[in-house]
Amino acid sequence: MPAQDMPSDSEQTQVFLQYLKTLTPTTPSPETEISSLLSSGANLHYRCPTTGTTPLHIAATSGNLAAVKAILSAGHPWNAVDDNGKSAGECAKEAGWDKLYDFMVEEGVRVEFILKVLDATGDGADDMEQEEVNDTVEEARQEASEASEKDEPPTDSKKPSNATYLASSLTYSSNTLLDADSNAVMMGWEAPLMTLHAAVIAPQPGLDVLNIGFGLGLIDEELQKRKPRTHTIVEAHPDVYKKMLDDGWDKKEGVRIVFGRWQDVLHELEVYDGIFFDTFGENYDDLKEFHEHLPNILRETGTYSFFNGLAGTNSFFHDVSCRIAQFDLAEIGLDTTYEEVEVDKLGDDVATTFGWFSGFANQKFSTLLYGLVTKEDVGGGVFLHCLFHKAPETKKSVSVVTGTTKERAGYGGMGEKA
């Protein structure tokens, strides 16, 4: 074809997009056509100027797994979102392509592991073949597994991720704990969720339990009702600690308060039947670090639970984040199963406020693990309760109940506008 008859890059992009829109789940060998169109100048990273929709969104909606694989292999970001913050993974889920959705979750996990490894090693991805990248990821997992078996003392060589929060003034108001910027650290509506946590980590009286992060004391009140033998509470914020003393928590039978960051008081902890983790202002790295200490403080028949808001504002990224957490927990011998808990059965305050904080209020979503699920409205949501079971030879278990999008350990977004 003469040069003057060649379609422009813009025209090639439109041909590319139109082809993607014609795909069905059974369209054969789309990777060949996609490769040809991209080679001839189609823009892989096109964004619709009015909606922000990307080629990956279109392919995911079509349900064609091979097309999605081809687009991702060509270099399209897995976590692209449109102008409304909607991911391609959500498009696949809403269209009913569950197998495709599962693949996209696993792809997100794979890429995030690669990025973490490259960030940790300082290597770049440009010069690495895919096989080299996969080998690097596997080596890093092996090193992490070996490191978790060592009983090394904690170090405090870097500034705490929640230093600003710990230095700020807190206010108790109307059964809500607020920071200096009026952000909610904890709210009374969370009580039904904490009841679930307490039942998981203290299924019977007479156990030794540990809670990291007091807040409003909601889970601690529930744990007291379950009559533990000992009840240890670690709290790092001086205002919360003062409130605990004012309310007489230090005088309750069996209760022991440890004031300080959990990283700094690990040597004061013992071994427990049940452990709950719910800090504020920390990130996933902090949560992961705590998990690495679990083998030393959780009994073999014990149960662990944490407030899980991993990428809580987006159901797809939430699933990816939880899978990453699952792999990280597997490094210390924890397997994962899931149980569903319906939000609307926990009361109107939980369903409505949970939806608002998670960014899903008045929106419709399909059922997703670890994410708030809105069927008709917020009141029809589903809250997922996740159980992590220790491998048979060690018998420990860990349980997780998802939460809202506050600054709790593990929160963070993954979305990228391509």
Side-chain angles (χ1 to χ4, degrees), residues 31 38 44 56 66-77 103 107 110 130:
E31 63 274 14
L38 293 177
L44 175 68
L56 186 61
V68 169
K69 287 183 177 180
I71 290 172
L72 290 170
S73 295
H76 195 292
F103 164 78
E107 176 66 10
R110 187 185 71 85
Q130 187 61 58

Coordinates of all heavy atoms in Angstrom, one line a residue, residues 31 38 44 56 66-77 103 107 110 130:
E31 N -5.5 -12.5 19.4 CA -4.1 -12.0 19.7 C -3.4 -11.7 18.4 O -2.6 -10.7 18.3 CB -3.3 -12.9 20.5 CG -3.1 -14.3 19.9 CD -4.2 -15.3 20.1 OE1 -5.3 -14.9 20.6 OE2 -4.0 -16.5 19.9
L38 N -1.6 -3.2 16.5 CA -0.7 -2.4 17.3 C 0.6 -2.2 16.6 O 1.2 -1.1 16.6 CB -0.4 -3.2 18.6 CG -1.6 -3.3 19.6 CD1 -1.2 -4.1 20.8 CD2 -2.0 -1.9 20.1
L44 N -2.1 1.6 22.0 CA -2.5 0.7 23.1 C -3.0 1.4 24.3 O -3.9 0.9 25.0 CB -1.3 -0.2 23.5 CG -1.5 -1.1 24.7 CD1 -2.4 -2.2 24.3 CD2 -0.1 -1.7 25.1
L56 N -8.4 -2.0 27.4 CA -8.6 -3.1 28.3 C -10.0 -3.2 28.9 O -10.6 -4.3 29.0 CB -7.6 -3.0 29.5 CG -7.6 -4.2 30.5 CD1 -7.1 -5.5 29.8 CD2 -6.6 -3.9 31.6
A66 N -8.4 -14.4 25.6 CA -7.2 -14.3 24.8 C -6.9 -12.8 24.5 O -5.8 -12.4 24.4 CB -7.4 -15.1 23.5
A67 N -8.0 -12.0 24.2 CA -7.8 -10.6 23.9 C -7.2 -9.8 25.0 O -6.3 -9.0 24.9 CB -9.1 -10.0 23.4
V68 N -7.8 -10.1 26.2 CA -7.3 -9.4 27.4 C -5.8 -9.8 27.7 O -5.0 -8.9 28.0 CB -8.1 -9.8 28.6 CG1 -7.5 -9.4 29.9 CG2 -9.5 -9.2 28.5
K69 N -5.5 -11.1 27.5 CA -4.1 -11.5 27.7 C -3.2 -10.8 26.7 O -2.1 -10.3 27.0 CB -4.0 -13.0 27.5 CG -4.5 -13.8 28.6 CD -4.3 -15.3 28.4 CE -4.8 -16.1 29.6 NZ -4.5 -17.6 29.3
A70 N -3.6 -10.6 25.4 CA -2.8 -10.0 24.4 C -2.6 -8.5 24.7 O -1.5 -8.0 24.5 CB -3.5 -10.1 23.0
I71 N -3.6 -7.9 25.2 CA -3.5 -6.4 25.5 C -2.6 -6.2 26.7 O -1.7 -5.3 26.7 CB -4.9 -5.8 25.8 CG1 -5.7 -5.8 24.5 CG2 -4.8 -4.5 26.4 CD1 -7.1 -5.4 24.6
L72 N -2.7 -7.1 27.7 CA -1.8 -7.0 28.9 C -0.4 -7.3 28.5 O 0.5 -6.7 29.0 CB -2.3 -7.9 30.0 CG -3.6 -7.5 30.7 CD1 -4.1 -8.6 31.6 CD2 -3.5 -6.2 31.5
S73 N -0.2 -8.3 27.7 CA 1.1 -8.7 27.3 C 1.8 -7.6 26.5 O 3.0 -7.5 26.5 CB 1.1 -10.0 26.4 OG 0.6 -11.1 27.2
A74 N 1.0 -6.8 25.8 CA 1.6 -5.7 25.0 C 2.0 -4.6 25.8 O 2.7 -3.7 25.3 CB 0.5 -5.3 24.0
G75 N 1.6 -4.6 27.1 CA 2.1 -3.5 28.0 C 1.0 -2.6 28.6 O 1.3 -1.6 29.2
H76 N -0.2 -3.0 28.4 CA -1.3 -2.2 28.9 C -1.4 -2.4 30.5 O -1.3 -3.5 31.0 CB -2.6 -2.6 28.3 CG -3.8 -1.6 28.6 ND1 -4.3 -1.4 29.8 CD2 -4.4 -0.8 27.7 CE1 -5.2 -0.5 29.7 NE2 -5.3 -0.1 28.4
P77 N -1.5 -1.3 31.3 CA -1.5 -1.4 32.7 C -2.7 -2.3 33.1 O -3.9 -2.0 32.7 CB -1.6 0.0 33.2 CG -1.7 0.9 32.1 CD -1.5 0.1 30.8
F103 N -8.8 -14.4 36.2 CA -7.5 -14.3 35.6 C -6.9 -12.9 35.8 O -5.7 -12.7 36.1 CB -7.6 -14.5 34.1 CG -6.4 -14.0 33.3 CD1 -5.2 -14.7 33.3 CD2 -6.5 -12.8 32.6 CE1 -4.1 -14.2 32.6 CE2 -5.4 -12.3 31.9 CZ -4.2 -13.0 31.9
E107 N -3.5 -11.8 37.5 CA -2.5 -11.0 36.8 C -2.1 -9.8 37.6 O -0.9 -9.4 37.6 CB -3.1 -10.5 35.4 CG -2.2 -9.6 34.6 CD -0.9 -10.3 34.1 OE1 -0.8 -11.5 34.3 OE2 0.0 -9.5 33.6
R110 N 0.3 -11.0 40.2 CA 1.6 -11.3 39.6 C 2.4 -10.0 39.3 O 3.6 -9.9 39.7 CB 1.5 -12.0 38.3 CG 2.7 -12.5 37.7 CD 2.5 -13.2 36.3 NE 2.2 -12.2 35.3 CZ 3.1 -11.5 34.6 NH1 4.4 -11.7 34.8 NH2 2.7 -10.6 33.7
Q130 N 10.7 -12.1 30.6 CA 9.7 -12.5 31.5 C 10.1 -13.7 32.4 O 9.8 -13.8 33.6 CB 8.5 -13.0 30.7 CG 7.2 -13.3 31.5 CD 6.8 -12.1 32.3 OE1 6.5 -11.1 31.7 NE2 6.7 -12.3 33.6

